[in-house]
Amino acid sequence: MDVLVPIDGSETSFRALAFGIEFAERFEGDLAVVHFTDSETDATEDIAEHAREVLAGKGSDVEPEVVTGAELDVRPSNRVGEAVLELVSERGFDHVVMGHHGAGAVERAMLGSAAETVLRGDEVPVTVIP
């Protein structure tokens, strides 16, 4: 089983990462950790470094991947959700584990939700971690 865990630097995404590590282990699967961004910055490296710490703390040697070039200027969460679905399709992931911030209806209408986009994509089973 190939498991994808997209991270965005939020606590919910790192909780999802911790769960995803254990999930992949439990099902003897391979784990991929990906951060989507429009361009790499110091914040991008901070996110990757925090992910490395979480992974190492769980005994995993997986290296987080940074995918640049995502167009995040309009409805960035939806764009990230679409990028997750594209990666699932390209690489054949069997499961996605991701965090969700619990935004309200107005915030979702304005900004979208990456987790909601992936769930509605109906392409792969998704575990959403609050």
Side-chain angles (χ1 to χ4, degrees):
M1 172 181 293
D2 293 329
V3 179
L4 172 62
V5 180
I7 57 171
D8 64 5
S10 67
E11 277 306 308
T12 58
S13 74
F14 290 119
R15 282 197 301 273
L17 176 56
F19 180 89
I21 294 165
E22 293 175 13
F23 185 87
E25 279 181 15
R26 185 173 301 132
F27 292 100
E28 299 177 357
D30 292 321
L31 177 70
V33 180
V34 178
H35 173 66
F36 296 93
T37 183
D38 49 359
S39 62
E40 287 193 56
T41 64
D42 289 342
T44 306
E45 183 52 37
D46 291 345
I47 292 168
E49 184 56 36
H50 189 136
R52 285 183 198 98
E53 292 169 4
V54 172
L55 288 156
K58 296 279 188 179
S60 175
D61 61 356
V62 169
E63 178 63 24
E65 178 182 351
V66 175
V67 175
T68 58
E71 296 180 25
L72 303 179
D73 53 344
V74 179
R75 295 179 66 90
S77 293
N78 285 356
R79 299 263 194 255
V80 169
E82 291 164 3
V84 168
L85 290 172
E86 287 175 24
L87 201 59
V88 164
S89 178
E90 289 171 9
R91 298 189 190 173
F93 288 103
D94 302 301
H95 200 95
V96 175
V97 177
M98 60 192 307
H100 179 57
H101 304 284
V106 172
E107 198 171 48
R108 277 195 318 271
M110 291 175 57
L111 301 175
S113 165
E116 190 172 344
T117 299
V118 175
L119 282 167
R120 289 179 189 247
D122 201 27
E123 293 181 28
V124 62
V126 181
T127 300
V128 178
I129 305 297

